[in-house]
Amino acid sequence: MARRFALLAAIIAVAALSVSCSEAEIDDLLNEVLQEIENSNAGGKVPANAGKALKQLEVAPAGSMSGYDREAFPHWSDAQENGWRVSDSSCDARDAALIRDGKDVVVGEGCDVESGRWLDPYTTRTYTDPLDIDIDHLVPLANAYRSGASAWDEAERERYANDPDNLLSVEDNANQEKGDKGPEAWKPPNRAIWCSYAKDWISVKSDYALTINPQEKSALRQMLSTCKKN
């Protein structure tokens, strides 16, 4: 299997250097490699055909940020109304993310998260003070805006801003360093999660029919190439 991966990777490298090879042909070869990698995960179960999903995303230049306002994406809304599995109706999306992503989480009155342990996937450091934790939009709000969300109504923006699949508890400095950057400009320092990060990014962009720019697509290809057999 390893030899087959190496051969396919070599074919892609040669194809990429050939002026006679189209981008679609290179994509097909890359998807074959990614499919083999995914087929090797979890005893042959394919969790997601990320390569195919990436190929299907519309590629377009990043749109304008004119008119962007973070507050136009109502966030930290009611958790239960936005698909979070929490028993306390007073929890908002931030509370719910802290509860889901933490260990030994202590929750007080009004769904106030008082303490717990959070492993930041971006840096692999552990924190015990919830004030050290930001809730990161995996695909940032501003990135979504210039990828198609500028045309959404407020209800769709609120759904996006509170979607459990697009929120992750991370250390605040790491979140600020990431800002609104896509993977072409920022990747998690923890290379071990590049595979899952890329798959989740592609999933969010697919679910919301958001576009990707050419550099972003190239970066996602690179990150998917790190997927390994479990």
Side-chain angles (χ1 to χ4, degrees):
M1 184 67 72
R3 290 179 62 187
R4 185 176 181 183
F5 288 164
L7 176 60
L8 288 170
I11 292 172
I12 289 175
V14 172
L17 293 174
S18 173
V19 295
S20 63
C21 188
S22 70
E23 181 177 352
E25 290 170 326
I26 295 172
D27 273 345
D28 288 341
L29 288 169
L30 175 66
N31 287 332
E32 185 176 350
V33 172
L34 293 175
Q35 186 66 69
E36 289 290 346
I37 292 172
E38 289 179 353
N39 284 341
S40 71
N41 287 336
K45 181 180 179 182
V46 181
N49 191 339
K52 182 177 180 180
L54 176 60
K55 185 177 180 180
Q56 291 175 342
L57 288 174
E58 179 184 352
V59 178
S64 171
M65 287 293 289
S66 177
Y68 172 73
D69 183 353
R70 182 176 172 82
E71 298 309 312
F73 289 78
H75 47 287
W76 315 154
S77 300
D78 182 272
Q80 291 181 344
E81 291 181 1
N82 286 279
W84 291 87
R85 295 182 180 180
V86 289
S87 58
D88 189 336
S89 61
S90 64
C91 294
D92 62 26
R94 173 182 165 79
D95 300 324
L98 288 170
I99 294 169
R100 180 196 64 185
D101 298 339
K103 301 292 184 183
D104 304 322
V105 178
V106 176
V107 182
E109 186 176 353
C111 202
D112 179 32
V113 177
E114 299 175 349
S115 63
R117 290 185 295 110
W118 290 271
L119 173 64
D120 171 26
Y122 293 166
T123 65
T124 71
R125 300 189 185 100
T126 298
Y127 297 86
T128 57
D129 185 347
L131 295 178
D132 288 331
I133 302 299
D134 279 355
I135 306 304
D136 177 42
H137 288 94
L138 179 72
V139 178
L141 303 181
N143 187 290
Y145 185 86
R146 56 182 180 261
S147 304
S150 59
W152 295 350
D153 62 20
E154 184 177 275
E156 181 72 356
R157 291 179 183 179
E158 182 172 20
R159 183 172 79 88
Y160 181 85
N162 296 279
D163 188 337
D165 292 335
N166 193 37
L167 294 179
L168 187 63
S169 300
V170 303
E171 190 266 332
D172 53 5
N173 289 327
N175 186 44
Q176 292 165 26
E177 179 184 340
K178 173 183 174 181
D180 67 353
K181 303 180 186 73
E184 73 278 16
W186 185 91
K187 298 178 180 65
N190 176 20
R191 294 176 63 95
I193 68 163
W194 280 15
C195 174
S196 60
Y197 186 90
K199 285 184 176 182
D200 291 343
W201 184 282
I202 293 167
S203 178
V204 170
K205 289 238 164 170
S206 298
D207 288 346
Y208 287 89
L210 296 170
T211 63
I212 57 173
N213 63 57
Q215 296 77 21
E216 180 182 355
K217 183 174 184 178
S218 178
L220 288 166
R221 283 174 174 167
Q222 177 192 4
M223 296 176 79
L224 287 177
S225 72
T226 67
C227 296
K228 297 178 181 179
K229 183 176 179 179
N230 293 332

